[in-house]
Amino acid sequence: MLDVCLLGTSGMMPLPRRALTALMTRFNGSSLLIDCGEGTQVSIREKGWSLHSIDTICITHVHGDHVSGLPGLLLSMGNAERNEPLTIIGPRGTKKVVEALLTIAPGLPFAIHFTELTERFHRLEKNGYCLEAFRVSHTVPCYGYSQVIRRAGKFDVERAKENDVPMTVWNRLQKGETIEENGRIYTPDMVLGNERKGLKVTYCTDTRPMPEIAEQAKGADLFICEGMYGEDEMLEKARENRHMTFSEAAMLAKEAEVPELWLTHYSPSLIRPDEYMEKTRKIFPFTKPGKDRKTKVLQFEQK
């Protein structure tokens, strides 16, 4: 089970009822945060989720509306007596920017480990899931992220017996361990059936449309994508500022063949995203306007 919450949906500046862009997911006791604009920690508290369980923060890029909430968030985590290390992932230059922000949040009681992204694609294993980062097209280095949770096959008693696997190691193999015992190596595939469908959420913002985005969103259970402008008449401005319209995001979702699209990162001038849904859904029927604290629980298929 994966909990997904769109904490903030505003681009450029926060509004009275719209915090700056951020997404939070929870899986198996671990919490992941993507971006941390102003208002993020307030939105987390209003949602009733915990700051303490956040162990990884992914930064899409280092513009202020995506990192301005970090000092306050990290101070709050420190004041809550957190001492476990925190990982911050982002494009090259993230470490320098975050350390500069932390001049107003000194003396944190936990270590921060930085991973800076330099290639077009990175795959990282984190806390039982896979994190895939892919470069997008903005005015500065910027990445989208997919959180992928794999699901092993069911335990297969017959396969275990056929491979002469002793019962004493069945449970550990089922949990993914590789075991050496009595001079023989036992691997999980010796007791498990074919891998089952897992879960995937793809998130990208601050970019022009790219074929790579649709490619990375393939197989996602939920695609969350920026829609800076609802009006197609704003296309030239979107091109100029390296952003997207609703229609362009819907075209990516259609190409990726995802079951659901959430739009986010709205222009401050876009007050009522719902007004553009009829037109957008003609391109991709399963489009939904993102709202602050919009939440979805993704469940594994019952197989």
Side-chain angles (χ1 to χ4, degrees):
M1 183 176 73
L2 177 66
D3 299 321
V4 182
C5 181
L6 193 55
L7 294 169
T9 57
S10 188
M12 299 173 62
M13 65 181 72
L15 298 177
R17 285 173 293 278
R18 191 186 290 170
L20 286 173
T21 305
L23 176 81
M24 188 169 173
T25 64
R26 303 189 303 182
F27 171 70
N28 201 25
S30 167
S31 292
L32 167 77
L33 185 66
I34 302 182
D35 282 340
C36 188
E38 184 179 343
T40 295
Q41 69 162 315
V42 174
S43 195
I44 294 172
R45 293 182 187 282
E46 288 183 346
K47 179 62 185 173
W49 286 10
S50 170
L51 306 176
H52 199 276
S53 61
I54 299 171
D55 45 49
T56 304
I57 299 177
C58 297
I59 303 299
T60 57
H61 62 298
V62 291
H63 278 165
D65 57 334
H66 294 259
V67 298
S68 57
L70 277 173
L73 176 80
L74 298 179
L75 271 175
S76 293
M77 291 167 69
N79 290 336
E81 299 182 350
R82 176 202 175 93
N83 50 37
E84 298 88 356
L86 173 73
T87 297
I88 296 182
I89 301 167
R92 181 181 291 166
T94 296
K95 183 175 187 289
K96 182 178 179 180
V97 169
V98 174
E99 287 181 340
L101 289 170
L102 290 181
T103 58
I104 59 171
L108 294 176
F110 52 87
I112 299 178
H113 303 302
F114 291 91
T115 298
E116 294 199 336
L117 308 172
T118 56
E119 305 298 327
R120 297 203 65 82
F121 180 82
H122 290 258
R123 180 177 285 116
L124 307 95
E125 297 294 332
K126 299 293 297 179
N127 305 310
Y129 58 84
C130 176
L131 190 63
E132 297 176 344
F134 52 96
R135 191 178 298 169
V136 296
S137 176
H138 194 39
T139 56
V140 297
C142 185
Y143 283 82
Y145 294 93
S146 290
Q147 185 178 5
V148 181
I149 299 171
R150 300 188 185 92
R151 192 182 188 199
K154 287 185 177 181
F155 183 78
D156 189 332
V157 174
E158 294 305 315
R159 178 176 291 194
K161 290 178 178 178
E162 288 171 5
N163 288 306
D164 294 322
V165 179
M167 292 181 63
T168 54
V169 299
W170 284 8
N171 187 52
R172 292 168 62 192
L173 290 173
Q174 191 175 1
K175 293 178 179 178
E177 290 186 49
T178 295
I179 301 164
E180 183 174 359
E181 189 172 285
N182 299 324
R184 188 180 175 195
I185 295 176
Y186 299 98
T187 55
D189 63 286
M190 299 172 75
V191 301
L192 298 177
N194 294 331
E195 184 174 325
R196 292 170 288 177
K197 183 185 181 303
L199 298 172
K200 179 178 178 180
V201 174
T202 299
Y203 178 95
C204 75
T205 183
D206 290 62
T207 178
R208 289 296 298 145
M210 301 168 60
E212 292 87 343
I213 297 174
E215 182 181 334
Q216 294 300 326
K218 288 257 184 208
D221 300 277
L222 176 61
F223 178 34
I224 303 172
C225 184
E226 84 143 82
M228 192 78 175
Y229 305 107
E231 313 96 315
D232 289 336
E233 295 76 19
M234 299 295 285
L235 178 58
E236 193 54 43
K237 188 168 185 179
R239 287 173 175 158
E240 180 183 344
N241 296 318
R242 313 304 295 169
H243 286 291
M244 265 193 264
T245 65
F246 282 18
S247 294
E248 289 177 312
M251 286 297 296
L252 287 174
K254 181 180 180 180
E255 185 178 346
E257 299 179 312
V258 294
E260 190 170 342
L261 166 68
W262 288 3
L263 295 168
T264 188
H265 198 270
Y266 304 130
S267 165
S269 64
L270 184 62
I271 305 302
R272 297 180 180 85
D274 304 70
E275 293 179 355
Y276 302 92
M277 284 299 99
E278 183 178 354
K279 169 182 64 67
T280 306
R281 286 174 180 146
K282 289 180 180 178
I283 301 170
F284 186 70
F286 311 108
T287 304
K288 295 182 179 179
K291 294 179 172 61
D292 285 23
R293 291 172 297 285
K294 185 178 182 68
T295 305
K296 188 177 182 72
V297 179
L298 298 176
Q299 303 272 10
F300 291 115
E301 289 183 355
Q302 297 301 312
K303 288 186 178 179

